[in-house]
Structure formats: C-alpha cells, structure tokens
Amino acid sequence: MEAQKKRVAVLVGCNYPNTANELHGCINDVLAMKETLVKRFGFDDSNIEVLTDAPNSCKLPTGANIKQALANMVDGAKAGDVLYFHYSGHGTRIPSKKHGQTFHHEEAIVPCDFNLITDLDFRQLVNRLAKGASFTILSDSCHSGGLIDKEKEQIGPSSSVQKGSTSKTCYTLTHKTIPYDSIQQHLSSLTKVITTDIGTHLLELFGSSASLRFQTASHALLEALGPDEGILLSGCQADETSADMNPGVAGKAYGAFSNAVEMVVREKEGDLSNREVVVRARKVLQGQGFDQHPCLYCSDENADATFLGHPQKT
C-alpha cells in the first residue's frame, strides 16, 4: 500500500510589538493562511505549526525556532509530500562581496530576535529535500525576491512589469524592511564588539544557530544542484519593499501580498499554477495602487505546476 502523502506547513508572523520596527498585519496574515490551508488545500490542522510574536504565543519566531521548525518539516518529508512555509514580517539586504561583486547583496528575513535567516539557509533546506517532495515558500517581506539562493527566475526583475503608483487605500502603509545599518547597530549594542562585520555580531550572539552565510567554509557546499523542488513566491523584487497595511480601528491589518494571494485563491475555483498565483497577485496589487511586484523563482516544470499541489510522479 502506498504511503499517505502529507501536507505540512510552518507559518511565521512577526509584528515586532512595542518596538521601533512594529508591524500590524503579519500575524493576521498567517492566521488567515492557516484557515485557507485547511479549508482549500486539505492540510490537517495538526500538520501546521504557527510561530508568532503575539503576547500569548507558545513559541516565539526566533531565528533558531524558525530554522528548527523548517528543519523538522524538511527532514521528515518523503516523496509526494507538500511542504509550505509562509513568512510575513521584515526583510533586509546584506552587502556581500561574493564572487568579487562589491555591490552584491544577499536577501534575508528578520526573525523577532534579529537572528537573520538568509538565502543560503533556504538553499540548504531545498538541497536536502527528499526526492519527489516539494517545498513552497511564500515570503511577504521586503527584498524577498531571490530568497532561495540560485533558484531560477520565472517572474522577476527581467520580466516586463508596469510600475504602480502610490497606494490608493486609506490605510497607514509601513514598509516591511529594516535597513542593514539599523540591524547592525542593534546587534552591536548587544555584543559591545567594535566591528562593522554583521557576521561577527551574529556569531557572537547566536553561535551555531546563526545563518550559514556567516559560518566558516559553508558556501562552497551549497551550490544549486540543478532543477529542484524549491518554489519561491516573493512579495516583491529584491530591490523593492512590501507593504504592511494598518487600517486602525476601521478594520483588520494585513500584508498587501498575503492579502492579494488570499484574494486570488478565493476568486478562482479549481487549481491555480504557481505562475498564475503570482501573475494574478501582481494584477491585484497593481489595481490597488501598490508599487511592488511579486516574483516567482522555481524550475521550469514547477512554474506551471499546481500551487500547493502534490508533485507529479517522475
């Protein structure tokens, strides 16, 4: 008898309450997505782990906790399983001299403790995924394009896009980004180490749970292995910001991209391909006046595969 195929998800919402970086819609985003996963995509509630920084949260979305949850999901996967990671929170860009490019940047998400999780960490997770399983990442954060290192661009900066205008909504808009300099200053205030190298601060504070991007001699081991089952739907291009919308007392706060995906899924019956989800979400955001352009990074085959559908047998 064929083993039961599983659908497993890790959902992370970071609002950074009572800080200078506070957002308002991120927890709402992942709670709404949890309901959608169960009702529309057949996920079992027991296979969905939610990490938020809400006051009553049983597990905070620290860098170590997020990576442990993702590692458990990936390492427990078997052929045919569908894995999903939804992140709503701040993103940032890290200057890098990789490959001798002085102005090259790496993408990262910002957990509640500032223990950055970088594109290299997501590459490592995809590389160790069981053959025949799929791993979809939806990142509603700034600079999220390219968040899986070396994943092939399907819809992104090289695609023809029409720039939007200032948001037409009456909500308060906050960009989901924390500048690199602000992160560096925060970490240095904790370590008291005098250096401009962010990796030194992260290793000092978090040790082995710091990103692989800052660990010694890790880069050469994490090249892309050719077409893989990693699928990234990003809220914007790598050089853009994603919006967090706060209507105040008038309604519920939300992330613009997360909300657009929810709208696309609700409005279209039947299967949607990964490409369709991103193209339709772009149109929703453009119609709402947002100047951000969701992207898709994955293999050619997965671009037209069903969003959160079981992988096809090979």
Side-chain angles (χ1 to χ4, degrees):
M1 181 180 293
E2 185 178 359
Q4 182 72 32
K5 295 177 181 178
K6 293 185 301 181
R7 294 175 179 268
V8 187
V10 173
L11 313 179
V12 173
C14 293
N15 276 349
Y16 318 89
N18 304 314
T19 72
N21 306 301
E22 186 168 14
L23 299 172
H24 297 89
C26 301
I27 294 175
N28 290 338
D29 290 342
V30 297
L31 295 180
M33 181 53 69
K34 179 180 180 181
E35 184 176 354
T36 298
L37 293 178
V38 173
K39 292 183 176 179
R40 171 72 186 268
F41 294 103
F43 282 67
D44 190 300
D45 186 83
S46 64
N47 287 331
I48 302 175
E49 183 171 4
V50 179
L51 287 75
T52 75
D53 53 5
N56 59 347
S57 177
C58 60
K59 184 180 286 188
L60 289 172
T62 63
N65 284 345
I66 295 170
K67 288 198 284 187
Q68 187 60 60
L70 292 174
N72 292 342
M73 180 170 69
V74 168
D75 294 341
K78 294 184 171 124
D81 289 353
V82 174
L83 312 185
Y84 180 62
F85 174 51
H86 189 120
Y87 172 76
S88 184
H90 279 302
T92 194
R93 301 183 83 188
I94 308 165
S96 170
K97 294 182 180 179
K98 187 176 68 171
H99 304 314
Q101 300 178 31
T102 305
F103 299 107
H104 189 81
H105 287 82
E106 312 297 341
E107 295 75 40
I109 61 173
V110 186
C112 67
D113 63 347
F114 280 51
N115 185 6
L116 303 181
I117 302 176
T118 71
D119 55 352
L120 197 68
D121 298 307
F122 290 111
R123 165 50 54 198
Q124 190 253 12
L125 286 165
V126 170
N127 280 5
R128 74 188 207 221
L129 186 66
K131 183 176 176 57
S134 68
F135 183 20
T136 300
I137 297 171
L138 189 154
S139 189
D140 188 353
S141 57
C142 292
H143 313 302
S144 46
L147 196 56
I148 303 177
D149 190 44
K150 299 182 179 66
E151 197 65 61
K152 183 175 182 179
E153 175 192 312
Q154 299 290 341
I155 301 173
S158 65
S159 306
S160 176
V161 298
Q162 180 178 348
K163 289 292 183 181
S165 58
T166 304
S167 174
K168 300 172 186 175
T169 69
C170 298
Y171 293 2
T172 300
L173 183 154
T174 303
H175 295 295
K176 293 182 169 183
T177 185
I178 304 179
Y180 170 78
D181 289 345
S182 296
I183 292 175
Q184 188 180 61
Q185 289 169 14
H186 172 72
L187 295 174
S188 63
S189 72
L190 298 176
T191 64
K192 310 301 182 187
V193 176
I194 301 175
T195 178
T196 58
D197 177 31
I198 197 169
T200 298
H201 295 302
L202 289 166
L203 289 168
E204 176 73 18
L205 289 169
F206 304 111
S208 61
S209 75
S211 170
L212 290 169
R213 179 65 65 189
F214 312 109
Q215 305 284 348
T216 304
S218 61
H219 300 195
L221 304 176
L222 294 172
E223 295 295 314
L225 303 176
D228 55 50
E229 301 304 323
I231 303 164
L232 170 66
L233 291 79
S234 66
C236 61
Q237 296 175 178
D239 62 347
E240 292 180 334
T241 58
S242 291
D244 178 70
M245 307 304 298
N246 179 23
V249 296
K252 183 179 288 188
Y254 60 83
F257 179 52
S258 293
N259 184 65
V261 171
E262 290 280 352
M263 290 176 63
V264 167
V265 169
R266 283 196 304 268
E267 292 171 359
K268 173 72 163 61
E269 294 184 6
D271 292 340
L272 283 159
S273 71
N274 292 305
R275 189 190 304 277
E276 285 180 293
V277 171
V278 171
V279 169
R280 287 169 181 261
R282 275 194 173 199
K283 289 180 180 177
V284 169
L285 291 170
Q286 183 178 352
Q288 294 174 336
F290 290 105
D291 194 13
Q292 67 185 80
H293 302 87
C295 302
L296 175 65
Y297 293 81
C298 62
S299 67
D300 294 339
E301 182 179 6
N302 279 332
D304 295 307
T306 301
F307 176 61
L308 296 183
H310 285 296
Q312 298 296 314
K313 291 183 178 179
T314 56

